[in-house]
Amino acid sequence: MKKVKVLVFGSFILSSLFLMSLTPIVSFARTTTSDSECINCHTNLKKLIRLSWEIEKIRPKPAESAETSGEG
Amino acid sequence: MAPLEPYEKIYVNPSFLKTPHGEIRCETCHNGNPRDPDWQTAHTNIVKDPTFPEADKSCGECHEDIAATAASSLHYTLAPFSSIIKKRANKKDEEVFNKVCLAKDKHCNACHSSCGQCHVSRPDYAKGGFLAGHLFQKKPCMDTTCSSCHGGRVYGEFTGLNDGYPADVHYEKEEMTCMDCHTGKEMHADATGVSSRFDLPERPECEKCHPNVLSEKPETRSHSIHREKVACQVCHAVANKNCFGCHVGTDKKGLTFYKSGETKMLFKIGLNPDKTKKKPYNYVVLRHPPADPGLFDFYVKNGLTDFDKLPTWKLDTPHSIQRITPQNKTCNNCHGNAALFLQEKDVTGWERKANAKVIVPAGKIPKPVSNH
């Protein structure tokens, strides 16, 4: 019984150490993502909606010629 | 097809970052400065579509074989447009010819596509925007991709959008999409020197799925009688959309415009002007595209002086296939039915010479079958 307890405790310690060793990799991936302003902005819908209003003020939507008629 | 909102066009789905393409840094393909928090300066020298005109330098890094031929494919280069317009252009006057080429580039070449404009975003012609948050689509959706450029005629015929005309049986009954026949092999095929899309060896062939029809002993009598004499569509397509007249120009604001004439749903059978081993038929279905000798008059008069060098009623493969059609219900629905055939009276005066090879003379209209 004592041996089983030691085995369980040992496995717990080992798996904890293994999981801890993975933590820096995860945070590295996150750091890389947040390093890119492209990703920060283009994956944020709220930000894109606000920016699209701003862009429309500076650069209005390209118009289509009113002279076009018929099927293209 | 409803246009996308500006934010929808550029929203990157976070799942994209977990895909192989998402592992590549944005600036590797698009340039720009990923560390600049000011969106305006960050986008300096941005490349919106890295796959055009240098597919080999973007996609070709990993997909070398596909990019090598895709960059000279029909969609990428629109090569037949150039060859057709050059055949019809005034080649005696260099200045006039150059103006025709400029007008062609400005208007006709606007609807080419690229790797990115099929697999990542809608084509520029349809005002762009990601198909699925920048996730690469191996097989693009025909309703957003193909229909962007082929929505005027083919897509409507295939999906039954023309009032009174049924959808193509392949779409209606088998739920097939464009890509079931027009495979990646065809889309990415090298089209160098190809003067018509019908000359591309990789184009779809009915017999690939219906091998019995062209076999030595077809199951149906009508197939054994008509085999290799008429194109499949002559019996199995219904009306297609025909356009008459098109003029292009630039308005006072510098915006390009087109003015196309009336459109008509018609079904016209003509003579096959270009018999080959693959297309040995005597009769084919024709379509009148928006071709007009005054197409570029806004830019240059008499630009298309050789307009009648090519027919204005062109070989067509309507995407409106049915098993039973008005013309194949009985033998005499077609035999002796002159109205189905393109005759001299159906074409305007200036088109007669151009269409001489496709107009069916009275003597070549199949005679009624007496014992039916």
Side-chain angles (χ1 to χ4, degrees), chain B residues 168-204:
Chain B
D168 191 295
V169 68
H170 300 94
Y171 174 80
E172 183 92 22
K173 294 222 168 128
E174 302 299 324
E175 297 182 8
M176 286 167 71
T177 69
C178 307
M179 277 72 68
D180 288 318
C181 293
H182 299 281
T183 61
K185 202 177 166 195
E186 181 198 358
M187 295 295 103
H188 303 142
D190 179 6
T192 310
V194 169
S195 56
S196 158
R197 67 180 188 276
F198 296 109
D199 295 338
L200 195 73
E202 293 82 0
R203 77 194 174 93

XYZ file of all heavy atoms in Angstrom, chain B residues 168-204:
293
model
N -29.579 23.472 -64.416
C -28.876 22.340 -65.019
C -29.116 21.084 -64.170
O -29.097 21.141 -62.942
C -27.378 22.670 -65.072
C -26.593 21.697 -65.909
O -26.506 20.510 -65.537
O -26.038 22.145 -66.933
N -29.341 19.957 -64.851
C -29.663 18.713 -64.142
C -28.525 18.288 -63.199
O -28.765 17.704 -62.141
C -30.003 17.585 -65.153
C -28.770 17.176 -65.954
C -30.613 16.387 -64.465
N -27.296 18.623 -63.554
C -26.168 18.259 -62.695
C -26.216 19.008 -61.361
O -25.786 18.503 -60.334
C -24.834 18.566 -63.397
C -24.661 17.826 -64.676
N -24.999 18.355 -65.888
C -24.192 16.569 -64.920
C -24.737 17.467 -66.834
N -24.259 16.375 -66.283
N -26.781 20.217 -61.407
C -26.910 21.032 -60.192
C -28.174 20.636 -59.428
O -28.148 20.404 -58.225
C -26.973 22.511 -60.595
C -27.242 23.476 -59.459
C -26.225 23.865 -58.602
C -28.515 24.008 -59.267
C -26.475 24.754 -57.566
C -28.763 24.902 -58.238
C -27.742 25.276 -57.393
O -27.991 26.146 -56.367
N -29.257 20.533 -60.175
C -30.581 20.289 -59.583
C -30.666 18.901 -58.942
O -31.093 18.756 -57.815
C -31.626 20.420 -60.692
C -33.056 20.280 -60.236
C -33.690 21.604 -59.882
O -33.187 22.628 -60.363
O -34.666 21.598 -59.123
N -30.264 17.872 -59.690
C -30.459 16.503 -59.194
C -29.241 15.943 -58.492
O -29.364 15.162 -57.555
C -30.850 15.590 -60.365
C -32.200 15.934 -60.963
C -32.997 14.684 -61.275
C -34.441 15.068 -61.584
N -34.910 14.522 -62.832
N -28.064 16.290 -58.964
C -26.854 15.688 -58.395
C -26.113 16.619 -57.449
O -25.091 16.237 -56.874
C -25.891 15.257 -59.519
C -26.481 14.258 -60.514
C -26.893 12.955 -59.872
O -26.205 12.500 -58.942
O -27.927 12.397 -60.296
N -26.621 17.855 -57.308
C -26.000 18.856 -56.423
C -24.526 19.051 -56.738
O -23.695 19.232 -55.841
C -26.200 18.477 -54.956
C -27.668 18.445 -54.558
C -27.894 18.112 -53.101
O -26.905 18.044 -52.351
O -29.066 17.917 -52.728
N -24.208 18.996 -58.017
C -22.807 19.200 -58.414
C -22.480 20.694 -58.411
O -23.358 21.533 -58.554
C -22.563 18.601 -59.807
C -22.519 17.079 -59.782
S -22.607 16.334 -61.416
C -21.011 16.755 -62.077
N -21.220 20.991 -58.229
C -20.773 22.387 -58.277
C -19.851 22.561 -59.485
O -19.487 21.574 -60.138
C -19.996 22.778 -57.004
O -18.751 22.081 -57.019
C -20.765 22.447 -55.742
N -19.452 23.786 -59.734
C -18.569 24.062 -60.872
C -17.333 23.151 -60.836
O -16.911 22.616 -61.857
C -18.093 25.510 -60.845
S -19.409 26.724 -60.722
N -16.780 23.007 -59.611
C -15.494 22.306 -59.484
C -15.591 20.792 -59.711
O -14.573 20.131 -59.843
C -14.860 22.575 -58.114
C -14.094 23.866 -58.027
S -15.144 25.334 -58.008
C -15.976 25.226 -56.465
N -16.798 20.249 -59.733
C -16.933 18.818 -60.014
C -16.529 18.506 -61.457
O -16.059 17.415 -61.759
C -18.362 18.343 -59.731
C -18.640 18.290 -58.233
O -17.761 17.834 -57.488
O -19.718 18.741 -57.814
N -16.754 19.454 -62.359
C -16.319 19.260 -63.755
C -15.033 20.048 -64.030
O -14.130 19.547 -64.686
C -17.395 19.736 -64.729
S -18.882 18.736 -64.696
N -15.014 21.298 -63.547
C -13.842 22.149 -63.789
C -12.863 21.945 -62.622
O -12.838 22.709 -61.661
C -14.270 23.613 -63.891
C -15.215 23.859 -65.027
N -14.792 23.973 -66.327
C -16.566 23.985 -65.061
C -15.852 24.171 -67.115
N -16.935 24.176 -66.370
N -12.059 20.920 -62.753
C -11.177 20.505 -61.660
C -9.962 21.434 -61.535
O -9.700 22.257 -62.424
C -10.659 19.082 -61.926
O -9.936 19.135 -63.155
C -11.786 18.083 -62.022
N -9.232 21.238 -60.447
C -8.006 22.007 -60.236
C -7.024 21.806 -61.382
O -6.317 22.730 -61.770
N -7.042 20.612 -61.950
C -6.126 20.316 -63.057
C -6.398 21.279 -64.227
O -5.472 21.768 -64.869
C -6.338 18.862 -63.496
C -5.171 18.270 -64.230
C -5.445 16.815 -64.552
C -4.435 16.329 -65.574
N -4.835 15.072 -66.187
N -7.670 21.522 -64.486
C -8.032 22.448 -65.568
C -7.738 23.891 -65.152
O -7.154 24.662 -65.923
C -9.523 22.311 -65.908
C -9.946 23.247 -67.041
C -11.456 23.463 -67.122
O -12.221 22.882 -66.335
O -11.868 24.262 -67.984
N -8.131 24.247 -63.933
C -7.959 25.629 -63.476
C -6.492 26.056 -63.481
O -6.165 27.191 -63.768
C -8.514 25.799 -62.048
C -9.999 25.601 -61.905
S -10.946 26.844 -62.787
C -11.453 25.931 -64.218
N -5.610 25.104 -63.116
C -4.187 25.433 -63.000
C -3.394 25.109 -64.271
O -2.175 25.236 -64.284
C -3.566 24.668 -61.822
C -4.242 24.933 -60.511
N -4.444 23.965 -59.561
C -4.765 26.067 -59.996
C -5.082 24.488 -58.517
N -5.283 25.760 -58.764
N -4.092 24.692 -65.330
C -3.370 24.235 -66.534
C -2.722 25.390 -67.292
O -3.283 26.482 -67.390
C -4.333 23.498 -67.450
N -1.573 25.105 -67.838
C -0.841 26.075 -68.663
C -1.640 26.332 -69.942
O -1.943 25.399 -70.677
C 0.536 25.474 -68.994
C 1.380 26.392 -69.874
O 0.946 27.531 -70.130
O 2.462 25.964 -70.292
N -1.976 27.592 -70.201
C -2.778 27.918 -71.395
C -1.967 28.719 -72.407
O -2.545 29.406 -73.250
C -4.025 28.679 -70.982
N -0.663 28.584 -72.336
C 0.185 29.307 -73.287
C -0.168 28.891 -74.719
O -0.233 27.690 -75.017
C 1.675 29.007 -73.018
O 1.922 29.209 -71.632
C 2.592 29.898 -73.839
N -0.421 29.859 -75.571
C -0.715 29.579 -76.979
C -2.141 29.119 -77.236
O -2.515 28.864 -78.378
N -2.949 29.031 -76.187
C -4.339 28.596 -76.365
C -5.176 29.803 -76.792
O -5.209 30.810 -76.099
C -4.886 27.984 -75.042
C -6.386 27.774 -75.103
C -4.187 26.671 -74.747
N -5.834 29.697 -77.956
C -6.563 30.871 -78.432
C -8.048 30.811 -78.097
O -8.776 31.765 -78.324
C -6.366 31.046 -79.935
O -6.764 29.863 -80.591
N -8.497 29.682 -77.570
C -9.887 29.563 -77.127
C -9.914 28.618 -75.945
O -9.153 27.644 -75.908
C -10.741 28.993 -78.257
O -11.917 28.410 -77.734
N -10.833 28.870 -75.011
C -10.889 27.980 -73.839
C -11.273 26.561 -74.244
O -10.998 25.600 -73.537
C -11.836 28.530 -72.791
C -13.293 28.550 -73.187
C -14.127 29.121 -72.049
N -15.546 28.994 -72.286
C -16.267 29.835 -73.000
N -15.682 30.880 -73.559
N -17.558 29.655 -73.178
N -11.925 26.432 -75.395
C -12.326 25.097 -75.853
C -11.130 24.284 -76.350
O -11.246 23.089 -76.594
C -13.377 25.206 -76.964
C -14.652 25.830 -76.483
C -15.022 27.102 -76.886
C -15.480 25.160 -75.592
C -16.193 27.683 -76.433
C -16.651 25.739 -75.125
C -17.010 27.008 -75.545
N -10.006 24.935 -76.542
C -8.811 24.220 -77.013
C -7.952 23.686 -75.863
O -6.947 23.019 -76.115
C -7.950 25.143 -77.889
C -8.673 25.534 -79.166
O -9.592 24.794 -79.556
O -8.333 26.584 -79.749
N -8.325 24.008 -74.650
C -7.513 23.554 -73.506
C -7.694 22.040 -73.317
O -8.815 21.577 -73.114
C -7.953 24.304 -72.242
C -7.000 24.229 -71.057
C -5.762 25.084 -71.324
C -7.683 24.695 -69.787
N -6.625 21.262 -73.395
C -6.782 19.801 -73.296
C -7.435 19.349 -71.984
O -8.078 18.304 -71.948
C -5.340 19.280 -73.380
C -4.549 20.390 -73.962
C -5.220 21.662 -73.572
N -7.278 20.126 -70.929
C -7.794 19.713 -69.615
C -9.259 20.071 -69.401
O -9.813 19.855 -68.333
C -6.962 20.344 -68.493
C -5.531 19.852 -68.384
C -4.592 20.541 -69.369
O -5.059 21.409 -70.147
O -3.391 20.200 -69.364
N -9.923 20.640 -70.426
C -11.312 21.083 -70.229
C -12.228 19.879 -69.947
O -11.877 18.734 -70.289
C -11.791 21.863 -71.452
C -12.152 21.004 -72.620
C -12.309 21.763 -73.902
N -12.516 20.824 -74.974
C -13.704 20.439 -75.389
N -14.780 20.915 -74.849
N -13.817 19.558 -76.363
N -13.416 20.117 -69.362
C -14.304 18.993 -69.032
C -14.821 18.288 -70.282
O -14.977 18.916 -71.330
C -15.478 19.669 -68.303
C -15.029 21.024 -67.958
C -13.973 21.409 -68.930
